[in-house]
Amino acid sequence: MNKLKLIVKREFFAKVKNKSFIILTILSPLLMVGLMLLIVFLNKQNSQEIKSIAYVDESVLLTSVFTDSENMKFVNLTDLGISEAKNITKDNYEGLVYIPKSESLNSLSEGVEYFSVDAPSINLLNQIEYRLEKGIRDLKIAELQVDVDKIKGADTKVFIISENFSGEKSSKMGSVLRMLVGGAFGYLIFMFIIIYGTSVMRSVIEEKTSRIIEVIISSVKPFQLMLGKILGNALAGILQFVIWAISLLLLWSVITFVFGQEPASSSAAIGSLNPEMAQHVEGSSISDIQTILAEISNLPLFTMIFSFIFYFLGGYLIYSSIYAAIGAAVDSETDTQQFMMPVLMPLIIAIYVGFSVIENPHGPIAIGFSLFPLTSPIVMLMRIPFGVPWWQIIVSMFLLIVTFLAIVWFAAKIYRVGILMYGKKPSYKELYKWLKY
Amino acid sequence: MENILTIDSVCKNYGDFTALNNVSISVPKGSVFGLLGPNGAGKTSLIRIINQITLPDSGKVILDGEDLNPHHIKNIGYLPEERGLYKSMKVGEQAMYLAQLKGLSHSEAKKRLKYWFEKFEISDWWNKKIQELSKGMAQKVQFIVTVMHNPKLLIFDEPFSGFDPINANLIKDEILQLRDEGATIIFSTHRMESVEELCDHIALINKSNKILDGKLNDIKQQFKTNQFEVGLSCNNCESLLKEINAKFITKSIKSIAFNENIRLLVSLKNDETSNDLIQFLNNKAQITHFTEVIPSANDIFLKAVSNN
């Protein structure tokens, strides 16, 4: 037991003192903070820009549509005629909206054109289209000699607030957030398993090629060495995750502070959202960020962090023992290719399945793959933000533990024989034979 | 003499391959025991079993009166033929780690390492990485790591490879000193001159079987062929030579000392003794040289292996 502790300690420090570990651990959150701030800053810059747009309305019916707004200014060039207006627009304005003469209100929408030097953003076109549609609609209603205000009174906006049976509210924005968070967590586990699994494998190969292995296993059992190596690397992984989690938490509080969001209920945040704006004006406004922040506090954060650590450990332990066995079976890293593919396969499948799972988190595929132990660490983690029944989590965790024990047993056998075998690259048949030595 | 290690009918198979076939060896306490054999004979398999790296399929290993068990790890020091240390780990850190794995406490490990590092005058390497050291320097560190826990039984597999003659001598003296302090040394090598120099007991393994073991002197007695090297100073040498050849089987030797005319290798029959030969020569010439030919370890090795 004491020796295991020594090995874990050595492996942990060998990993943590490594320069690339330090750089990756510290730099990644900084990079993320920097990137987020940059995006927020750029978005702000973008939405502050006022676009001046010219228009030629030959129908003379829609002039009232072109009223200036926060980020758009309109200039009426109808008097100049279309060809002159085009020339002027080219040098002076962002673009030119052209509405041709029209016989009836029905054909008014046909032949509307937008001229600009650069291709316009979909966002801009959407906004103009929305204004025109609304204008034509008002005109049509007026033609029917119905009071426009009455019609408007009949319009209803429905904004569904979904709520589970224990009273937690969620919104559409929340669902998107869940997808993002689930996807990110699943992907993170995928990366962690591969990075730390490979690191275990490298460390095994290093001991083998530097030939220290024989000295060590004359002092400890090969299984102890393998386990110590796996645990030491896992601790390094957890340390890295904790550092990242803390820095993200700090980042979150900084953002919360900067945007002055009180830890308000989500309904208040939703109330501050103008539904019309949400539908038609894309891009990050302050109210969006407030909604996101409110939704983050709505996520099952504790369950997520706990299950992240559990599934990381479970998945990592399974895969890293396979990686350790591979490392023991070969003489150099270049020989690992033929064994790596079958190991990576379930992980890659899990990621693909996972990304379709977040669309339908409670379907049979989602449930199946989140129980299957080779994919569950990734798929289950992607489902958890959406809420998973307890029995599924327990079954999946149980299967994971059983599989872990079985795989470690197999891996240890191959490892024990492999570390002392030099020379040729073993075939699968030989690996099978090793199990019986 | 008491045995520190008894290997009793040990067998080890890898699949269809038999690495050790019913091997029994006894290593007396305080001896330098040469474990000899051609490449692939099964020496490493046997050493790994003694080190509990692998388990025998059948048979028993008894160390110091007890069945081999994990507590014995701290009583054994092993220098494998294929050596190595963590390349990017600092010398001191690494030695401390390996010492603690052998069961020494932190403070004890530090004390012993300090002693050995000072003895080998390498204290200033403590914070260097192995990859910054030369091969010979790394070997010294490896030697210290092998012996620092004062094991009762030391196993050296080709200990002198990689050392220059000066350092090889240093290591040889250390090995002998360790023996004088009470350790038993198992010494596996192909270099027969060092066997001759160091070992008092040997065992020879060939093709998974032990074919020979015992005290080196006894084995030499066993392998000697009643051959004598004789130097003669004579007046009528040609007729003398004829006379000798008529009675004995001889072989002439080229290298002649300055005071003699003939040097011969004389093989006696089983019932003849050296006295018979001396008597025969006594009246005919002056004997300048007379020794019994004792087979070298090398001769024994070659003979035993080829007979097998």
Side-chain angles (χ1 to χ4, degrees):
Chain A
M1 214 50 221
N2 200 22
K3 288 184 181 176
L4 183 66
K5 217 170 86 189
L6 281 171
I7 298 168
V8 171
K9 206 172 109 190
R10 194 207 83 86
E11 294 294 333
F12 175 75
F13 283 111
K15 179 83 194 158
V16 170
K17 281 184 184 167
N18 197 308
K19 278 197 196 86
S20 64
F21 178 87
I22 297 170
I23 291 171
L24 191 71
T25 307
I26 294 173
L27 228 54
S28 295
L30 284 181
L31 219 68
M32 247 169 121
V33 172
L35 220 66
M36 260 172 111
L37 288 179
L38 189 74
I39 289 171
V40 169
F41 172 77
L42 287 181
N43 259 324
K44 241 181 165 175
Q45 284 305 102
N46 221 10
S47 51
Q48 269 170 1
E49 191 193 0
I50 297 169
K51 289 186 170 129
S52 43
I53 291 164
Y55 66 93
V56 172
D57 179 13
E58 289 180 353
S59 69
V60 209
L61 288 169
L62 290 169
T63 315
S64 61
V65 162
F66 298 104
T67 48
D68 293 351
S69 73
E70 238 177 83
N71 55 357
M72 269 194 229
K73 243 176 89 179
F74 291 99
V75 183
N76 191 346
L77 299 180
T78 311
D79 297 341
L80 295 174
I82 181 64
S83 49
E84 184 61 25
K86 271 189 195 168
N87 284 335
I88 290 177
T89 303
K90 224 180 269 174
D91 301 324
N92 297 311
Y93 304 109
E94 178 85 22
L96 172 68
V97 183
Y98 171 60
I99 301 159
K101 241 191 201 109
S102 168
E103 297 300 314
S104 69
L105 277 179
N106 279 334
S107 57
L108 191 59
S109 60
E110 292 161 21
V112 178
E113 283 179 278
Y114 180 82
F115 301 96
S116 65
V117 178
D118 306 315
S121 72
I122 290 178
N123 202 353
L124 180 80
L125 288 183
N126 278 344
Q127 288 183 51
I128 295 170
E129 278 170 1
Y130 173 67
R131 280 166 185 262
L132 291 173
E133 281 164 12
K134 203 167 162 271
I136 295 170
R137 186 165 170 272
D138 287 349
L139 288 172
K140 281 181 177 172
I141 290 168
E143 200 182 47
L144 291 170
Q145 300 200 325
V146 183
D147 188 350
V148 177
D149 288 337
K150 275 186 183 165
I151 295 281
K152 276 194 178 155
D155 279 348
T156 318
K157 277 281 170 197
V158 178
F159 196 89
I160 294 180
I161 296 167
S162 61
E163 188 173 335
N164 70 10
F165 293 104
S166 49
E168 288 163 17
K169 292 192 170 77
S170 60
S171 66
K172 249 195 288 181
M173 189 70 89
S175 294
V176 172
L177 193 76
R178 271 155 228 266
M179 282 166 70
L180 284 179
V181 171
F185 265 50
Y187 195 70
L188 206 60
I189 284 236
F190 173 73
M191 292 307 293
F192 261 85
I193 287 178
I194 291 186
I195 290 173
Y196 283 92
T198 317
S199 146
V200 167
M201 188 181 76
R202 282 221 188 92
S203 157
V204 173
I205 293 176
E206 189 209 335
E207 276 174 358
K208 218 183 143 178
T209 50
S210 74
R211 310 267 176 169
I212 194 176
I213 190 77
E214 208 165 337
V215 175
I216 300 218
I217 58 169
S218 67
S219 308
V220 300
K221 290 204 181 78
F223 181 70
Q224 279 179 315
L225 179 61
M226 184 178 106
L227 199 65
K229 200 174 277 304
I230 288 173
L231 293 180
N233 273 282
L235 287 181
I238 290 174
L239 176 72
Q240 191 167 47
F241 175 70
V242 167
I243 290 174
W244 286 353
I246 289 174
S247 10
L248 283 180
L249 224 65
L250 283 178
L251 171 71
W252 182 38
S253 19
V254 168
I255 289 184
T256 314
F257 179 75
V258 168
F259 291 97
Q261 200 250 3
E262 291 146 40
S265 69
S266 57
S267 55
I270 290 162
S272 71
L273 235 192
N274 183 345
E276 222 172 78
M277 287 288 283
Q279 228 174 338
H280 295 282
V281 185
E282 301 259 324
S284 165
S285 66
I286 285 172
S287 57
D288 281 343
I289 289 170
Q290 283 178 346
T291 318
I292 290 169
L293 291 177
E295 280 298 338
I296 287 176
S297 54
N298 259 358
L299 288 172
L301 276 179
F302 176 75
T303 318
M304 276 165 52
I305 288 175
F306 169 76
S307 48
F308 178 84
I309 290 176
F310 182 89
Y311 281 102
F312 164 61
L313 282 181
Y316 162 81
L317 287 175
I318 287 180
Y319 280 97
S320 60
S321 21
I322 301 176
Y323 273 109
I326 294 175
V330 301
D331 279 358
S332 70
E333 225 180 312
T334 43
D335 288 346
T336 59
Q337 307 296 350
Q338 66 160 335
F339 299 114
M340 292 289 271
M341 212 42 219
V343 180
L344 286 178
M345 227 37 198
L347 285 175
I348 293 168
I349 290 173
I351 278 287
Y352 278 110
V353 168
F355 281 114
S356 69
V357 155
I358 50 181
E359 301 266 314
N360 180 15
H362 304 298
I365 291 181
I367 294 173
F369 277 93
S370 62
L371 296 183
F372 180 61
L374 289 183
T375 51
S376 65
I378 292 170
V379 179
M380 184 57 99
L381 218 60
M382 287 181 160
R383 285 182 66 202
I384 277 178
F386 297 95
V388 178
W390 277 108
W391 71 265
Q392 286 182 14
I393 295 188
I394 288 166
V395 168
S396 136
M397 286 182 168
F398 175 74
L399 287 177
L400 197 66
I401 291 171
V402 170
T403 312
F404 159 64
L405 293 176
I407 286 196
V408 163
W409 186 80
F410 274 106
K413 289 217 141 194
I414 290 180
Y415 179 84
R416 196 173 53 105
V417 179
I419 43 175
L420 293 171
M421 293 275 180
Y422 292 96
K424 65 179 177 154
K425 190 166 67 168
S427 63
Y428 282 103
K429 208 172 128 195
E430 272 165 294
L431 290 186
Y432 175 70
K433 250 174 32 192
W434 290 2
L435 288 177
K436 293 185 291 188
Y437 277 0
Chain B
M1 205 189 306
E2 202 186 338
N3 290 329
I4 188 159
L5 179 74
T6 310
I7 293 159
D8 185 12
S9 326
V10 162
C11 296
K12 178 76 188 173
N13 297 296
Y14 293 105
D16 301 332
F17 177 73
T18 303
L20 292 170
N21 182 21
N22 213 19
V23 170
S24 298
I25 289 173
S26 297
V27 180
K29 202 171 244 177
S31 63
V32 177
F33 191 96
L35 185 61
L36 316 177
N39 292 324
K43 282 174 299 179
T44 305
S45 294
L46 186 62
I47 289 175
R48 282 181 181 166
I49 286 171
I50 300 170
N51 275 306
Q52 304 180 63
I53 291 173
T54 49
L55 294 174
D57 294 343
S58 65
K60 259 201 329 197
V61 180
I62 295 162
L63 184 79
D64 218 7
E66 286 172 53
D67 278 355
L68 203 59
N69 65 58
H71 294 295
H72 286 141
I73 282 171
K74 63 175 185 299
N75 296 328
I76 300 179
Y78 174 37
L79 183 73
E81 182 178 5
E82 297 285 1
R83 277 155 234 173
L85 295 163
Y86 289 108
K87 289 200 175 60
S88 54
M89 210 173 166
K90 284 177 184 160
V91 172
E93 237 171 74
Q94 178 149 224
M96 284 296 290
Y97 172 62
L98 295 170
Q100 284 173 283
L101 282 188
K102 277 286 181 193
L104 294 184
S105 69
H106 185 90
S107 54
E108 187 67 23
K110 194 141 204 172
K111 208 174 83 192
R112 301 233 183 132
L113 283 175
K114 199 165 167 259
Y115 165 78
W116 278 102
F117 273 58
E118 275 167 12
K119 186 169 189 179
F120 277 20
E121 297 170 348
I122 57 171
S123 297
D124 49 339
W125 296 357
W126 190 270
N127 278 322
K128 279 194 176 156
K129 287 182 179 170
I130 289 290
Q131 59 197 8
E132 298 167 33
L133 302 183
S134 74
K135 196 179 168 199
M137 291 159 112
Q139 297 270 30
K140 271 191 186 176
V141 176
Q142 188 117 39
F143 181 82
I144 291 175
V145 164
T146 310
V147 302
M148 70 191 155
H149 55 295
N150 274 348
K152 290 182 196 161
L153 179 65
L154 279 158
I155 303 171
F156 294 108
D157 202 343
E158 293 292 355
F160 304 121
S161 69
F163 280 115
D164 59 47
I166 295 166
N167 281 322
N169 228 23
L170 178 80
I171 296 298
K172 195 183 80 194
D173 291 345
E174 286 303 329
I175 291 176
L176 289 175
Q177 198 186 331
L178 285 164
R179 183 203 53 191
D180 295 344
E181 286 165 6
T184 307
I185 287 133
I186 294 179
F187 181 36
S188 167
T189 185
H190 292 124
R191 290 213 231 167
M192 289 304 148
E193 71 276 12
S194 46
V195 172
E196 205 85 54
E197 209 174 344
L198 290 171
C199 298
D200 37 44
H201 288 70
I202 61 164
L204 184 56
I205 295 177
N206 189 32
K207 293 179 190 156
S208 323
N209 290 287
K210 181 195 76 181
I211 54 175
L212 193 67
D213 70 335
K215 268 191 177 164
L216 186 57
N217 283 339
D218 295 351
I219 289 173
K220 286 190 169 184
Q221 287 296 327
Q222 203 181 312
F223 270 76
K224 69 183 187 189
T225 50
N226 219 6
Q227 249 187 354
F228 296 85
E229 193 175 324
V230 180
L232 296 172
S233 166
C234 50
N235 297 323
N236 193 356
C237 292
E238 242 168 82
S239 66
L240 177 64
L241 207 55
K242 266 182 196 162
E243 223 176 309
I244 296 171
N245 281 337
K247 195 158 164 54
F248 302 102
I249 305 155
T250 62
K251 214 170 130 190
S252 68
I253 293 173
K254 290 269 154 58
S255 58
I256 291 175
F258 70 96
N259 60 347
E260 61 191 24
N261 307 100
I262 304 173
R263 187 165 274 222
L264 286 174
L265 209 57
V266 184
S267 302
L268 298 183
K269 295 187 192 97
N270 283 343
D271 55 343
E272 291 166 329
T273 66
S274 53
N275 283 355
D276 296 336
L277 178 60
I278 294 172
Q279 234 161 38
F280 175 82
L281 295 170
N282 209 7
N283 306 322
K284 299 178 175 78
Q286 194 187 344
I287 302 172
T288 53
H289 180 96
F290 193 92
T291 52
E292 183 170 15
V293 176
I294 304 289
S296 67
N298 201 35
D299 298 334
I300 295 171
F301 183 94
L302 292 173
K303 199 162 178 189
V305 169
S306 60
N307 285 349
N308 187 241

